[in-house]
Amino acid sequence: MAAGSVVFSGMRPTGRLHLGNYWGALKNWVDLSRDHACYFCVVDWHMLTTGYEETSGLQVNIREMVLDWLAAGLDPARCVIFRQSSVAEHAELALLLSMTTPLSWLENNPTWKEQLQELAKTKHGILTEPKKGKGPLEGLSEPSVQYGKVAAEVLSEQERKAYIDRSLRTSGFLFYPVLQAADILLYGGTLVPVGQDQLPHIELAREIARRFNSIYGQVFPEPKPLLTPAPRVQGVDGRKMSKSYGNGIELAEPPESLKTKVMGAYTDPKKIRAADPGHPEPCPENPPGCSIFALHKLYNTTWEKRRVECMEGRIGCVACKRDLLAHLDGPFREFREKRESIERAAGEVDRILDDGAKRARAVAAETMKRVRRAMRLA
Ligand code: SF4
């Protein structure tokens, strides 16, 4: 990795984080912050690009997420931790970059198209109740149209499309990669830790930077994606761990619910008795693989032995789950205690975010001076 790299990454404030968030991103942030200049941003404006209807829990979600960041090991003395909306320069730079970003780049962004389809299936395309005696779109206030019966069951394709267009086809949602480019470029971000699915956005950020530089002169370094292999974190139902599936284990999961989740987790449906040979890893006999084994791989240093024991029918699932709980006990207790101690220090999260915003604003202000000068705005 190049010396002097600046790392920028952001997370939408969705509240308490689960193991998938930790192993997929947060752990990498903590590692990177040890020897790089890092900016870690609570991207609350990004949250609005798809979640603009529901903002009542936003402040609580920010606080809960930052508490998890800190308890997981992010140290404000080693990195800048701040919220996007505290640094107005993100909005100014995004606006100026939008002047030079062709609309077609955003409309052809494959991630945007996929996200639109995905959200249409899971959130905005969903109705609470079909209203009797009315057209399906009549009488439904925006917030009431969130959870419940799938729109496809009650709406014609055309009606469904009209609703989705109205609620999701916002300029903010389409504009999201420009805001993301501004987030990165404001700090001269050269490395952006991302997953495979975010690669098109980083490519777009690179193109946005290149186009700006080609018109106004060299102002921005081109950011590069930093793909770090992350272990597969499986939810308790066998699918990928995700808040929207409700299959997660929170980093600060209390002991009782941790036990309930582990003891009820998906294993191998074909392994009924302890002596039955099991299929711990994804395979044709057990396509998702065993969720418990996936966690053993993360928290039990002797997981390879466990794989053999399972496959040879030398351990039953109940004993295997209890053993996993014993391995989880120490790390989870340590995390909860650290989180609680930060929480007890009154105003600590606000203080860290305010201090981070000050440090971020100082850098952002310098970048904006260069941008305004390059564009002859100053
Ligand atoms: S013994 Fe363990 S690894 Fe094997 S299927 Fe049961 S819970 Fe999974």
Side-chain angles (χ1 to χ4, degrees):
M1 205 176 293
S5 308
V6 176
V7 174
F8 179 92
S9 199
M11 228 183 251
R12 292 180 178 213
T14 53
R16 289 179 176 235
L17 300 178
H18 55 61
L19 298 184
N21 302 127
Y22 175 75
W23 290 98
L26 189 51
K27 183 180 181 304
N28 191 28
W29 286 12
V30 175
D31 293 342
L32 285 166
S33 67
R34 294 201 178 102
D35 48 10
H36 288 82
C38 291
Y39 293 82
F40 298 122
C41 183
V42 178
V43 286
D44 46 357
W45 283 341
H46 281 286
M47 189 79 201
L48 298 178
T49 61
T50 52
Y52 60 88
E53 292 164 312
E54 188 45 65
T55 55
S56 58
L58 192 53
Q59 297 308 318
V60 174
N61 285 346
I62 290 172
R63 185 184 153 73
E64 294 287 351
M65 185 175 81
V66 174
L67 275 169
D68 280 344
W69 286 8
L70 299 171
L74 273 194
D75 179 353
R78 286 177 170 271
C79 58
V80 183
I81 299 171
F82 68 108
R83 53 192 280 180
Q84 185 183 32
S85 62
S86 300
V87 184
E89 283 85 351
H90 286 251
E92 184 184 357
L93 183 56
L95 176 77
L96 295 178
L97 291 175
S98 76
M99 304 301 170
T100 56
T101 304
L103 196 53
S104 61
W105 288 6
L106 304 178
E107 287 169 338
N108 291 326
N109 169 18
T111 312
W112 178 70
K113 289 183 190 169
E114 278 163 28
Q115 240 183 333
L116 200 64
Q117 283 166 358
E118 207 44 45
L119 279 166
K121 269 192 267 165
T122 59
K123 184 182 174 194
H124 293 268
I126 291 175
L127 297 173
T128 45
E129 291 289 335
K131 302 279 175 187
K132 288 195 182 90
K134 285 186 171 181
L137 293 176
E138 288 171 342
L140 293 170
S141 66
E142 291 278 319
S144 75
V145 197
Q146 292 213 10
Y147 303 102
K149 221 167 160 45
V150 176
E153 292 173 16
V154 291
L155 298 181
S156 72
E157 192 50 38
Q158 205 181 4
E159 288 165 333
R160 186 164 173 271
K161 195 169 175 305
Y163 176 71
I164 294 162
D165 277 0
R166 199 185 69 200
S167 60
L168 270 185
R169 218 171 273 272
T170 61
S171 50
F173 188 31
L174 180 69
F175 179 75
Y176 155 53
V178 183
L179 181 58
Q180 192 176 47
D183 299 338
I184 301 164
L185 299 177
L186 211 42
Y187 304 99
T190 47
L191 283 178
V192 187
V194 284
Q196 197 77 28
D197 58 334
Q198 283 284 311
L199 282 179
H201 280 157
I202 305 306
E203 190 46 43
L204 208 45
R206 287 165 63 79
E207 283 178 21
I208 289 170
R210 259 200 302 270
R211 184 160 165 84
F212 185 97
N213 288 342
S214 73
I215 297 169
Y216 300 111
Q218 185 69 32
V219 174
F220 299 118
E222 283 181 34
K224 287 198 185 93
L226 177 64
L227 269 176
T228 314
R232 174 173 168 270
V233 184
Q234 203 166 309
V236 291
D237 62 356
R239 292 182 290 177
K240 185 184 172 190
M241 193 174 284
S242 159
K243 198 159 248 182
S244 54
Y245 293 152
N247 64 359
I249 294 177
E250 288 178 358
L251 293 178
E253 195 76 49
E256 272 315 303
S257 60
L258 179 63
K259 185 175 173 195
T260 307
K261 285 183 178 180
V262 167
M263 294 313 285
Y266 176 85
T267 57
D268 174 2
K270 295 205 173 80
K271 187 168 165 62
I272 314 285
R273 283 170 294 267
D276 293 339
H279 304 90
E281 292 191 290
C283 61
E285 288 78 13
N286 186 15
C290 168
S291 294
I292 296 298
F293 183 67
L295 290 171
H296 270 292
K297 283 176 91 169
L298 297 172
Y299 290 93
N300 175 0
T301 51
T302 59
W303 60 269
E304 278 166 318
K305 192 166 150 244
R306 176 53 40 87
R307 174 169 49 198
V308 177
E309 288 168 344
C310 170
M311 292 175 79
E312 293 180 353
R314 289 197 275 124
I315 188 166
C317 292
V318 173
C320 185
K321 286 173 170 177
R322 289 204 180 112
D323 182 41
L324 175 67
L325 280 169
H327 281 94
L328 296 180
D329 184 56
F332 272 70
R333 187 156 17 92
E334 200 181 308
F335 183 89
R336 281 193 304 266
E337 284 170 4
K338 191 163 174 204
R339 195 183 198 277
E340 281 160 19
S341 79
I342 301 166
E343 213 173 355
R344 273 196 301 274
E348 181 71 348
V349 170
D350 289 341
R351 192 190 60 71
I352 288 169
L353 286 175
D354 288 349
D355 180 62
K358 268 189 214 127
R359 291 159 70 196
R361 269 198 299 268
V363 178
E366 287 306 311
T367 305
M368 287 315 300
K369 276 187 201 161
R370 290 199 298 278
V371 169
R372 289 186 212 111
R373 267 201 303 270
M375 296 179 84
R376 311 283 189 271
L377 291 167

